[in-house]
Amino acid sequence: SQQGEEDPQALSIQEGENATMNCSYKTSINNLQWYRQNSGRGLVHLILIRSNEREKHSGRLRVTLDTSKKSSSLLITASRAADTASYFCATGEGGSEKLVFGKGTKLTVNP
Amino acid sequence: DAGVIQSPRHEVTEMGQEVTLRCKPISGHDYLFWYRQTMMRGLELLIYFNNNVPIDDSGMPEDRFSAKMPNASFSTLKIQPSEPRDSAVYFCASSLASGGPYNEQFFGPGTRLTVL
């Protein structure tokens, strides 16, 4: 069953704008990860944030985590057409390597 | 490294036939995961292995599905008999546990299965 739920389901922006995607989850987690999937391809890991962290940066990506609200956000700054893809959050629980994925946000960046 | 390798990339079969999907994880990775992706249900974990041993198969939909990992460099997911509702993209992923807790997973390109 889905743990994370991304919002919005679809997002269309112009190149150069920022894109923000949100993820909400239900149970306690020990880490949350964001993945990108280009059309017809496998998922690619973007960033991991642990439950004791509040914010993390990687290049043009910024991830925040609010465990009290059980939510996370992914911000892509200065978006490019190449950022067009689906973005998934995945949550890890307990001592398991298992991840539970949301259904994703489909981002379209128009040139 | 070539990354996670899956074969075939596309499979079209008829209902009732046996289907075998194959995966070669990244060399040295300890964990191997099989996922299924559909529009309706999203990405679902079917089963995962640690050091070739199945750890959690609670996501395997029914007895028609079976998975094996005979060695560290090869895994199969078998569906027998196949049904049209099994049509989906099946992904294999691997991860390196010794990289620390909560590790990223590396995904293969997927096998698109169509059951007619």
Side-chain angles (χ1 to χ4, degrees):
Chain A
S1 61
Q2 252 66 38
Q3 160 75 303
E5 291 291 334
E6 289 90 344
D7 170 59
Q9 291 187 332
L11 180 62
S12 181
I13 60 173
Q14 295 300 122
E15 212 165 21
E17 294 180 340
N18 295 342
T20 299
M21 288 158 272
N22 304 296
C23 170
S24 60
Y25 57 91
K26 298 185 179 69
T27 63
S28 295
I29 63 170
N30 54 35
N31 77 101
L32 186 144
Q33 303 182 28
W34 285 91
Y35 286 76
R36 183 188 74 224
Q37 184 180 32
N38 290 87
S39 182
R41 305 237 176 167
L43 282 71
V44 174
H45 181 265
L46 295 175
I47 197 164
L48 180 155
I49 186 165
R50 291 176 168 71
S51 58
N52 61 354
E53 297 174 314
R54 291 296 166 258
E55 188 171 312
K56 208 160 181 181
H57 296 255
S58 176
R60 294 184 296 112
L61 306 180
R62 174 180 166 244
V63 169
T64 61
L65 179 65
D66 187 336
T67 52
S68 66
K69 294 182 179 177
K70 291 186 167 59
S71 67
S72 172
S73 67
L74 171 67
L75 169 68
I76 304 174
T77 60
S79 63
R80 306 166 182 168
D83 294 328
T84 294
S86 290
Y87 292 81
F88 296 85
C89 68
T91 51
E93 304 170 11
S96 167
E97 287 290 312
K98 182 176 174 177
L99 291 177
V100 180
F101 286 81
K103 286 195 173 181
T105 292
K106 187 171 184 178
L107 172 67
T108 302
V109 181
N110 301 299
Chain B
D1 200 313
V4 176
I5 298 172
Q6 291 187 247
S7 65
R9 294 292 312 276
H10 301 272
E11 176 82 31
V12 180
T13 191
E14 292 189 345
M15 184 174 62
Q17 296 298 305
E18 177 180 296
V19 175
T20 300
L21 311 182
R22 297 173 175 79
C23 174
K24 177 178 168 53
I26 292 173
S27 178
H29 278 194
D30 308 278
Y31 287 86
L32 184 140
F33 306 82
W34 281 101
Y35 292 91
R36 176 173 68 177
Q37 186 176 39
T38 61
M39 289 295 293
M40 288 295 296
R41 299 177 66 88
L43 194 66
E44 304 172 280
L45 176 67
L46 300 177
I47 184 171
Y48 77 96
F49 296 83
N50 177 217
N51 292 324
N52 314 338
V53 177
I55 302 300
D56 184 343
D57 65 355
S58 59
M60 296 285 263
E62 46 198 277
D63 292 346
R64 298 184 297 105
F65 285 70
S66 63
K68 293 182 180 178
M69 192 163 186
N71 57 63
S73 60
F74 183 65
S75 177
T76 58
L77 178 68
K78 188 173 291 187
I79 307 172
Q80 166 63 15
S82 58
E83 297 182 2
R85 60 192 168 120
D86 302 331
S87 297
V89 181
Y90 290 81
F91 288 103
C92 175
S94 68
S95 68
L96 179 63
S98 57
Y102 325 139
N103 301 290
E104 67 178 283
Q105 295 182 14
F106 294 80
F107 281 74
T111 294
R112 182 174 295 276
L113 173 65
T114 303
V115 183
L116 304 174

